[in-house]
Amino acid sequence: MSNIEWNDGMSVGVESIDEDHKTLLLLINEINDAINNGSTHLVIIGIFEKLEKHVKKHFSKEELLLEQCNYGDIEEHKQQHLDFLNKIHELRDKLLHSDTVEVAKEVHLFLFNWLMTHIIIDDMSYAQTVHDNGLATTSKTKNSFLSQLLCNIGQKITLNKRIFLSAFVPIISFMSLCIFIFWQSFVHYNSAQQLLGLSGAIRNINNLSHNLQIERDLSSQYISSNYQENYTRLTEQRFNTDTALNNYEKNLSLLSPPLINDGMQLYINESKGLLVSLNEKRQTIDEQLSNVNNMQKYYQSTIETLLNLYDGMILLDIEGDFSRNITVISVIIDLKEAVRKERALGMNLLENQEYDKYQLFFQLIGKQEGLSRTYNSLTSNQKNIEWKQLDSSKEFNVVKQIEADIIRSSTDKTQIEISSEQWFKSMTSKIDLLEQLTKQLVVNTETSINETIDYQQQLAYSIAIILLFIIIMTLVISWLLAKSIIFPIRRITKAMIHLSQGYRNLRFTNHFAHDEISNIINAYEYSRRKLLQADIAATLTTVKLTIFEDQKEDEKEIPLSFSSLDRLTGVMNRRKFNELAEHELMRVKRYKHGLALMIIDIDNFKKVNDTYGLATGDRVLQELCQVCNANVRNTDIFARIGGEEFVILMPETKIQQAHALAERICTSVENHTVIINDTKIKFSVSVGVTAWDESIGVMSYLLEKAEKAVYAAKVDGQNRVVIK
């Protein structure tokens, strides 16, 4: 047997442990060299003692390292060390009591198998723990910050979560942007709602001031007529004024506090104080205790206070277009008030011919012209055109003509030929047109605000729908991407596990994109083929060695073969089965691998012998073995343990797999026909299946469980499989 060389793939990452393994391998190779060179028994024993001493030292060092790492399976590892130390004592005693080369070779082969198992199975299981605790001394490389970050992410976040995070990082950014837009939309919507309340205040102020102006004019006419005319109209107007006053007060109570600045609050308080005394002022008029000047002074002060609220609104921190609209409305209301004053002053001039008041009359006309220019500068071209049309209307032209006549009479000092009634009617028509314009401006403002509110609502709904759609699509796409990645990875994992268990038949037939997963699959396929080649090469080597050994020991082979095989069927006999079964049971106890067993018993075999003869019975036994051999694996142990009773021991097999094999054998036997001299003979079998667990200490107990399962199959009607 040739020596085994150290392979760097055997390294566990700790230099001292690797050196121990190299030394152990060197000593085992020395034993092999001593055997091959024909060295004396004492030389081999000396090397063996050195090996035993070094193993103890190695185990102590290894256990100390595992304690430093807080390794979870340290107790199991210590037990494995203790088991080997006990075994090595047995091997030494075996060498001491035997002086044959065959025993030395057997011991050497055992030591080599143990060392490979110790390094590859036992020690490599803690290699990662040693590395994680920073105790590894080989292959240390300084990773960059990015590499370390990626490693930490890979350790703490699963692949599924990383895929979802990769999708949700941009979606969170998009959601933040949508939330910002949504918040801005909400702010605009809230502002528009407040502005809608403010526009209601504008409408109510205009309505109240307009009704107060009408009430003032009717009160003047009532007093001037010596309390004889227009009282009924005055009473009706007072009711309209009270209605407008109630709406005004109600609207003020609903205004949002941020929309009331200090200036507005001052005018509101002042207007409330004046309006409280409105009923008192009316009572003095009804009791004929008030004169025209006092009455007009009160109403004028109240109206001006209300109109001053517009100036306070203009100073509010509100949207520019709305602020401009308030200014425009304020200008028209001021213009309307100037027209009312002009109407009152014109009545005085026409009735009393007071030439000293013409200067005030001229000032009022100039003020109106200035307000008209201000209106045109604040409004759009379309509004300017509408104003020109209004300014060119019949009502406005009549007023202009009368104003021209009044101005001319003031210059010529001549009698004005226009009646006060005609003047009042013309000016009232102008005032009514201006009032209609004011109401239209208020309606336009409210319409604009409502459109803004509707737009902001639609924008909010659109953002919510788009955001919901994107979130749903992100979840669906992320789920599909995760599955498209996880699915092939799980298949690769399953294939690698099968590969490690000795199965070489799993191939990938699906096509994948040329990426990392495709490269992994290609690497798997390359490994599968190489391992398959290695298996074939190992089989060929074994065949060659077998042929060589057969030729070399031809004389010994025949008796040895017959001693381990059943002469009738050619399968393994019970003695050989017991030997191999005990060896397999020891291996299972150590490595906790799966182990299953089935017993096969021919149904009504005595009847076959009685009916067709013993020779036919022997033929049935032989053909049953052929059926079983066609179904069992190379690693399974198939033996005859009784007259018509057979056993199959299946290493690395779970009970579900064993059950499936038993069903196949049972079905194959049922479908099989034995033909002897044109006689067709059908037969069946009953099969009992069981599996090893940690409660089973000896093979006889496992066989007993399988026999009970066979008995249960017989009782249930034969030709079936029972699991025990």
Side-chain angles (χ1 to χ4, degrees):
M1 183 180 293
S2 60
N3 290 335
I4 305 299
E5 299 294 333
W6 172 262
N7 189 312
D8 289 337
M10 301 177 185
S11 173
V12 298
V14 181
E15 189 173 355
S16 59
I17 300 298
D18 288 342
E19 290 299 324
D20 285 350
H21 290 160
K22 291 177 183 178
T23 303
L24 292 174
L25 182 60
L26 181 63
L27 291 172
I28 292 173
N29 285 334
E30 285 185 14
I31 294 175
N32 184 50
D33 291 337
I35 295 172
N36 292 334
N37 295 331
S39 300
T40 62
H41 185 67
L42 292 176
V43 172
I44 296 175
I45 291 295
I47 301 173
F48 195 88
E49 290 177 348
K50 288 169 59 179
L51 175 66
E52 183 180 2
K53 180 179 178 182
H54 196 80
V55 164
K56 292 180 179 179
K57 180 180 177 183
H58 169 66
F59 283 170
S60 299
K61 190 184 299 182
E62 197 173 74
E63 290 172 4
L64 178 62
L65 177 65
L66 295 180
E67 289 175 356
Q68 292 175 346
C69 297
N70 294 320
Y71 186 60
D73 296 332
I74 186 172
E75 295 301 326
E76 182 180 352
H77 221 77
K78 287 182 177 179
Q79 185 61 44
Q80 292 172 357
H81 292 171
L82 184 61
D83 291 343
F84 180 74
L85 288 176
N86 294 332
K87 184 65 177 179
I88 206 170
H89 290 311
E90 294 179 12
L91 296 174
R92 185 182 61 183
D93 293 341
K94 195 171 185 178
L95 281 175
L96 289 172
H97 294 88
S98 175
D99 198 18
T100 64
V101 175
E102 287 75 12
V103 171
K105 285 184 177 181
E106 182 182 345
V107 170
H108 167 260
L109 185 60
F110 175 85
L111 291 174
F112 171 72
N113 288 332
W114 166 81
L115 181 60
M116 293 300 102
T117 302
H118 174 71
I119 295 175
I120 297 173
I121 303 298
D122 300 338
D123 289 1
M124 284 193 178
S125 63
Y126 68 73
Q128 185 62 43
T129 304
V130 171
H131 182 273
D132 293 341
N133 283 271
L135 298 176
T137 57
T138 59
S139 301
K140 282 191 175 181
T141 57
K142 186 176 181 180
N143 294 327
S144 64
F145 173 77
L146 180 60
S147 300
Q148 189 62 40
L149 177 63
L150 293 175
C151 288
N152 291 335
I153 292 174
Q155 290 173 1
K156 298 179 181 179
I157 306 177
T158 62
L159 182 58
N160 268 328
K161 292 180 179 178
R162 293 203 297 273
I163 294 171
F164 277 101
L165 282 176
S166 66
F168 264 91
V169 167
I171 199 62
I172 288 174
S173 301
F174 181 78
M175 287 177 62
S176 301
L177 177 61
C178 288
I179 291 171
F180 174 77
I181 297 173
F182 189 84
W183 172 252
Q184 291 296 318
S185 176
F186 173 76
V187 170
H188 288 303
Y189 173 81
N190 192 42
S191 299
Q193 288 284 11
Q194 293 177 349
L195 292 178
L196 193 61
L198 196 60
S199 69
I202 294 171
R203 184 179 61 255
N204 288 318
I205 292 171
N206 176 62
N207 191 32
L208 178 58
S209 62
H210 180 69
N211 280 280
L212 285 171
Q213 288 168 345
I214 295 174
E215 183 177 338
R216 177 191 61 186
D217 294 339
L218 291 174
S219 297
S220 298
Q221 293 176 16
Y222 176 62
I223 294 172
S224 299
S225 66
N226 199 18
Y227 305 101
Q228 298 298 321
E229 300 176 359
N230 296 322
Y231 185 73
T232 302
R233 288 181 59 195
L234 177 60
T235 303
E236 293 175 354
Q237 181 56 42
R238 285 176 177 176
F239 176 78
N240 295 334
T241 302
D242 289 340
T243 303
L245 177 60
N246 290 332
N247 292 334
Y248 166 75
E249 291 176 343
K250 181 179 179 181
N251 181 263
L252 285 181
S253 65
L254 298 176
L255 276 181
S256 177
L259 291 178
I260 302 177
N261 56 26
D262 294 338
M264 286 182 62
Q265 190 64 53
L266 178 64
Y267 292 131
I268 289 171
N269 294 335
E270 186 177 349
S271 67
K272 286 182 178 179
L274 291 169
L275 291 170
V276 166
S277 59
L278 177 61
N279 287 328
E280 296 178 3
K281 184 58 64 177
R282 289 172 177 172
Q283 187 175 358
T284 60
I285 294 172
D286 293 342
E287 293 175 357
Q288 301 179 6
L289 299 176
S290 175
N291 57 42
V292 174
N293 291 333
N294 290 337
M295 179 274 299
Q296 287 188 344
K297 184 177 179 181
Y298 165 76
Y299 277 100
Q300 188 62 34
S301 176
T302 303
I303 292 169
E304 287 180 353
T305 302
L306 289 172
L307 297 180
N308 285 335
L309 285 171
Y310 291 118
D311 297 332
M313 292 179 185
I314 295 173
L315 299 176
L316 289 173
D317 184 17
I318 56 179
E319 189 179 348
D321 290 342
F322 188 76
S323 178
R324 187 182 300 107
N325 290 341
I326 294 176
T327 305
V328 170
I329 294 171
S330 176
V331 168
I332 295 300
I333 291 175
D334 288 343
L335 177 59
K336 184 176 64 173
E337 179 62 18
V339 173
R340 287 183 181 277
K341 290 180 180 179
E342 182 187 358
R343 182 181 66 177
L345 185 59
M347 291 287 291
N348 194 315
L349 289 174
L350 292 173
E351 292 175 355
N352 301 322
Q353 296 293 322
E354 297 179 5
Y355 294 102
D356 58 332
K357 293 186 178 180
Y358 277 108
Q359 186 65 33
L360 180 59
F361 185 81
F362 298 153
Q363 290 176 358
L364 287 173
I365 294 175
K367 182 179 181 181
Q368 292 175 51
E369 292 177 353
L371 290 171
S372 298
R373 287 192 295 270
T374 302
Y375 174 83
N376 288 325
S377 65
L378 292 173
T379 55
S380 62
N381 292 332
Q382 181 62 34
K383 293 295 182 183
N384 290 340
I385 294 173
E386 293 175 359
W387 174 258
K388 288 180 180 179
Q389 292 174 350
L390 182 64
D391 191 50
S392 303
S393 65
K394 178 182 177 181
E395 292 82 357
F396 273 57
N397 286 331
V398 170
V399 171
K400 290 177 183 177
Q401 184 62 45
I402 297 174
E403 288 175 344
D405 293 342
I406 293 174
I407 293 172
R408 186 169 54 254
S409 67
S410 68
T411 305
D412 299 341
K413 305 295 182 179
T414 58
Q415 182 69 29
I416 303 174
E417 297 178 356
I418 303 169
S419 65
S420 60
E421 183 179 351
Q422 183 181 0
W423 168 257
F424 184 85
K425 184 178 179 181
S426 299
M427 293 301 289
T428 301
S429 298
K430 184 177 181 178
I431 291 171
D432 291 341
L433 290 175
L434 291 174
E435 177 63 20
Q436 291 176 13
L437 178 60
T438 303
K439 290 180 178 179
Q440 185 61 44
L441 289 172
V442 172
V443 170
N444 292 342
T445 301
E446 291 179 342
T447 301
S448 176
I449 294 172
N450 284 322
E451 289 176 353
T452 301
I453 291 173
D454 292 340
Y455 171 76
Q456 296 300 335
Q457 285 180 333
Q458 292 177 3
L459 179 62
Y461 293 149
S462 300
I463 291 173
I465 292 172
I466 292 172
L467 190 59
L468 181 62
F469 174 77
I470 291 177
I471 290 175
I472 292 174
M473 289 302 298
T474 300
L475 290 174
V476 172
I477 293 173
S478 298
W479 182 82
L480 290 174
L481 288 175
K483 289 298 180 183
S484 68
I485 295 174
I486 297 299
F487 174 70
I489 288 179
R490 286 177 177 170
R491 289 193 61 194
I492 294 169
T493 303
K494 182 179 178 181
M496 293 300 295
I497 292 173
H498 275 71
L499 202 63
S500 66
Q501 293 175 344
Y503 297 96
R504 313 286 191 248
N505 60 331
L506 189 56
R507 296 177 62 250
F508 287 89
T509 57
N510 294 15
H511 293 285
F512 293 90
H514 188 66
D515 55 11
E516 285 74 10
I517 292 179
S518 176
N519 293 336
I520 294 174
I521 292 173
N522 292 336
Y524 161 79
E525 181 62 20
Y526 180 80
S527 300
R528 185 185 74 87
R529 293 178 183 179
K530 286 296 182 182
L531 288 172
L532 193 58
Q533 290 177 351
D535 290 345
I536 295 171
T539 302
L540 291 174
T541 302
T542 303
V543 170
K544 291 177 181 179
L545 289 174
T546 303
I547 293 173
F548 177 77
E549 292 295 332
D550 288 345
Q551 292 174 348
K552 186 177 179 181
E553 301 184 9
D554 186 59
E555 295 179 358
K556 297 180 181 180
E557 185 63 25
I558 296 176
L560 285 175
S561 177
F562 277 106
S563 65
S564 61
L565 299 179
D566 178 62
R567 293 178 180 273
L568 175 62
T569 60
V571 300
M572 196 177 297
N573 59 25
R574 182 160 194 152
R575 184 189 64 79
K576 188 63 177 179
F577 171 79
N578 290 338
E579 179 184 338
L580 295 178
E582 289 298 331
H583 174 75
E584 199 62 42
L585 185 62
M586 290 176 59
R587 192 175 70 88
V588 168
K589 286 180 180 179
R590 178 175 184 182
Y591 299 112
K592 312 299 182 185
H593 294 164
L595 181 65
L597 182 141
M598 73 172 73
I599 291 179
I600 304 169
D601 191 274
I602 300 176
D603 298 328
N604 302 316
F605 185 69
K606 184 176 183 300
K607 184 178 179 181
V608 173
N609 284 332
D610 293 342
T611 303
Y612 300 103
L614 296 178
T616 301
D618 292 344
R619 178 71 178 274
V620 169
L621 293 174
Q622 292 169 348
E623 298 220 5
L624 172 63
C625 291
Q626 292 177 11
V627 172
C628 291
N629 280 325
N631 285 276
V632 298
R633 301 172 301 180
N634 293 334
T635 55
D636 296 336
I637 301 173
F638 177 41
R640 182 184 180 190
I641 58 174
E644 66 271 22
E645 195 174 44
F646 297 82
V647 64
I648 301 176
L649 186 66
M650 295 157 283
E652 306 287 347
T653 304
K654 297 180 180 179
I655 194 166
Q656 294 85 353
Q657 296 170 309
H659 178 238
L661 176 61
E663 290 287 355
R664 287 200 303 271
I665 291 174
C666 191
T667 302
S668 298
V669 171
E670 183 182 7
N671 296 330
H672 186 76
T673 302
V674 179
I675 302 175
I676 302 176
N677 297 328
D678 297 330
T679 301
K680 296 181 179 180
I681 302 172
K682 302 286 289 185
F683 67 99
S684 63
V685 293
S686 296
V687 185
V689 181
T690 188
W692 176 85
D693 58 52
E694 294 185 359
S695 64
I696 298 175
V698 293
M699 182 56 65
S700 59
Y701 183 65
L702 194 64
L703 288 168
E704 182 180 348
K705 286 180 65 179
E707 287 174 350
K708 289 180 180 180
V710 171
Y711 178 76
K714 297 282 189 183
V715 172
D716 289 345
Q718 303 179 347
N719 190 25
R720 65 190 65 241
V721 178
V722 172
I723 299 176
K724 192 73 173 177

